[in-house]
Amino acid sequence: MPHPNDPTLRSFIPVDPASDFPIQNLPYGVFSTAAMPAPRVGVAIGDYVLDLWQLAQDCRIDMVEPGVFAAPSLNPFMALGPNVWSRTRARISELLRHDHAELRDNEKLRQRALVPMADVKLHLPIAVAGYTDFYSSREHATNVGVMFRGKDNALQPNWLHMPIAYNGRASTVVVSGTTVRRPRGQLKPPGAEVPGFGPCKRLDFELEMGVVVGKPSVMGEMLTEQQAEEMIFGFVILNDWSARDIQQWEYVPLGPFQAKVFATSISPWIVTREALEPFCVPGPVQDPVPLPYLRQTRPHNYDLQLDVALRAAGMNEAATICRTSFKYMYWSSVQQLVHHASSGCAMNIGDLLGSGTISGPEKDQRGSLLEISWNGTEPVELPGGIKRTFLEDGDSLVMRGWCQGDGFRVGFGEVEGTIVG
Ligand code: MN
């Protein structure tokens, strides 16, 4: 049987070369329909969702109990472990192949199992156990450091020695399409003697990728590179909404708190680590060489293109404000996971790790408005003469990401969020 990543595979379902969801991808999500409102597990293929519960009911995926796919999250499926993830993906690939008759020629099953994407509602794909946000782009950390501490002290002394992070909130991780209420908080503008309480005036986004942990680790035990890699079920695009003015007043000495906990949006489809494997590339050279527990023996970065588009209130179409790549990240997701468990911290099924804002070396590769507008001093100019330094009510932000294969792309769809007052 050909490997599901084989670039020559074709599905009997027509897939546009510009689609995010060719047979080489097969990302997992949770969906419902008006006719069947119970959320269940599906896989995206072209303009369709393949209903895995229907296939399992029909005994087409024999390594997984149908009930696992009737769950409103992927956690029960992830709990079956990497071996089952891989075998299930291979089986789904086989069922969708143009030269495999089993589903292709079974009209009744096709009618039940293939749902037009336009008819589904997509839900949060995982029950988020914990959410941790890293800070692993050297370009982002440097930009922020230059703005707040000057060029000579841009990177903190610890930054090149370990992946820096804070613990975020799982309770407010939401799926693409969820509106985001402008946060309120303590604000102390420059010059003010005492803080006040009110709506955030410097609302920002952060372009990130999120790792979905699919396999737990044991409290008290460290992880090897190999173990950490095997625990990664897949990736989503993540928008770590940030209230810069709240952050600036509250972050000393324990780091961000209310500035980050009001909302984190993720894309609905989890692209598996296996599907991304062909796009692995080496990351930047790490100098100084990391401590032995953080060293990598093989590449764990991805050649994954990202863009961010802003449709400011009053605009008909979104305008691209950032184009960058996940490949620039200094610390890889595997290193983040190894470091996360290194003290003895247990990782759980459904843990979500934000990569940190992804910025590249060029000006148009900055992954936050804080950087794009250089702390509000250089407004971004949008079509129609509209300018923005930070997000206003009614603004809608869309992030997209994909890996370009030969004649197909392994994509993530999008994560969208609109700000309301
Ligand atoms: Mn962040």
Side-chain angles (χ1 to χ4, degrees):
M1 194 158 86
H3 191 277
N5 288 349
D6 186 332
T8 66
L9 291 187
R10 275 191 298 126
S11 175
F12 63 86
I13 295 170
V15 179
D16 190 279
S19 167
D20 280 334
F21 310 124
I23 193 168
Q24 288 82 2
N25 190 349
L26 308 178
Y28 291 97
V30 169
F31 75 102
S32 62
T33 52
M36 265 183 75
R40 54 203 186 273
V41 174
V43 156
I45 176 78
D47 295 328
Y48 289 86
V49 176
L50 183 65
D51 186 328
L52 298 190
W53 179 70
Q54 292 282 4
L55 289 181
Q57 289 271 78
D58 211 60
C59 305
R60 307 287 171 171
I61 304 177
D62 56 9
M63 57 288 223
V64 183
E65 291 288 323
V68 166
F69 294 129
S73 84
L74 277 151
N75 296 41
F77 176 64
M78 292 195 290
L80 300 176
N83 195 13
V84 173
W85 309 342
S86 198
R87 282 164 56 213
T88 304
R89 182 165 177 266
R91 175 65 177 140
I92 295 165
S93 172
E94 181 181 44
L95 285 166
L96 288 169
R97 261 173 28 212
H98 79 289
D99 55 357
H100 191 83
E102 194 176 341
L103 178 60
R104 185 193 66 195
D105 296 347
N106 184 338
E107 200 192 330
K108 256 191 160 159
L109 183 58
R110 253 187 10 244
Q111 293 275 347
R112 286 210 312 274
L114 282 165
V115 187
M117 187 79 82
D119 295 346
V120 307
K121 177 174 156 55
L122 293 167
H123 301 263
L124 192 66
I126 54 171
V128 183
Y131 165 49
T132 309
D133 192 34
F134 282 85
Y135 189 57
S136 290
S137 153
R138 184 175 190 160
E139 289 81 3
H140 171 71
T142 303
N143 284 339
V144 174
V146 169
M147 270 181 256
F148 294 112
R149 285 185 301 276
K151 227 165 49 197
D152 298 331
N153 304 300
L155 281 188
Q156 297 282 12
N158 54 13
W159 200 93
L160 292 169
H161 295 278
M162 62 177 153
I164 300 296
Y166 65 90
N167 281 298
R169 284 293 294 176
S171 58
T172 25
V173 176
V174 294
V175 74
S176 175
T178 308
T179 54
V180 173
R181 168 71 63 86
R182 178 174 297 275
R184 290 162 296 265
Q186 277 206 23
L187 313 169
K188 188 174 170 295
E193 291 254 312
V194 290
F197 186 88
C200 158
K201 292 186 178 66
R202 310 186 102 204
L203 183 54
D204 201 354
F205 69 86
E206 290 188 339
L207 168 64
E208 306 195 14
M209 294 300 297
V211 163
V212 176
V213 175
K215 189 182 163 185
S217 72
V218 178
M219 181 175 169
E221 290 186 13
M222 291 180 74
L223 297 173
T224 63
E225 175 188 16
Q226 173 89 23
Q227 288 167 332
E229 187 176 21
E230 282 172 8
M231 286 166 62
I232 296 175
F233 177 70
F235 290 80
V236 290
I237 309 172
L238 183 150
N239 183 350
D240 179 31
W241 303 97
S242 300
R244 299 299 179 195
D245 41 6
I246 298 174
Q247 186 175 357
Q248 191 151 13
W249 168 231
E250 75 174 2
Y251 87 107
V252 180
L254 288 185
F257 181 43
Q258 293 300 296
K260 299 279 193 172
V261 295
F262 58 93
T264 305
S265 301
I266 64 171
S267 54
W269 295 107
I270 305 175
V271 177
T272 60
R273 177 174 50 82
E274 189 179 280
L276 293 173
E277 216 146 80
F279 306 98
C280 264
V281 289
V285 173
Q286 296 186 313
D287 179 21
V289 174
L291 290 169
Y293 79 100
L294 283 171
R295 282 179 206 159
Q296 306 187 120
T297 59
R298 52 187 183 279
H300 294 297
N301 279 44
Y302 296 99
D303 185 6
L304 194 167
Q305 301 174 55
L306 291 159
D307 68 41
V308 181
L310 172 61
R311 188 181 52 71
M315 281 169 68
N316 292 325
E317 267 180 59
T320 301
I321 56 171
C322 164
R323 278 197 180 89
T324 188
S325 170
F326 193 34
K327 72 180 177 191
Y328 296 121
M329 297 310 275
Y330 189 85
W331 297 104
S332 74
S333 305
V334 167
Q335 287 176 314
Q336 292 174 341
L337 195 45
V338 165
H339 183 64
H340 205 319
S342 63
S343 63
C345 173
M347 303 307 296
N348 283 322
I349 295 169
D351 278 343
L352 179 67
L353 313 185
S355 61
T357 307
I358 303 164
S359 293
E362 304 300 327
K363 222 176 160 178
D364 62 353
Q365 295 179 320
R366 294 170 176 170
S368 66
L369 277 171
L370 176 71
E371 295 164 271
I372 294 171
S373 77
W374 208 252
N375 198 20
T377 61
E378 299 172 21
V380 51
E381 303 216 9
L382 301 164
I386 296 172
K387 289 183 182 179
R388 282 291 184 274
T389 48
F390 292 97
L391 297 169
E392 296 185 10
D393 293 347
D395 287 1
S396 160
L397 200 87
V398 179
M399 296 172 175
R400 289 195 178 82
W402 69 94
C403 298
Q404 188 62 54
D406 186 10
F408 61 91
R409 54 165 59 171
V410 172
F412 287 77
E414 63 176 43
V415 55
E416 188 273 345
T418 298
I419 307 300
V420 295

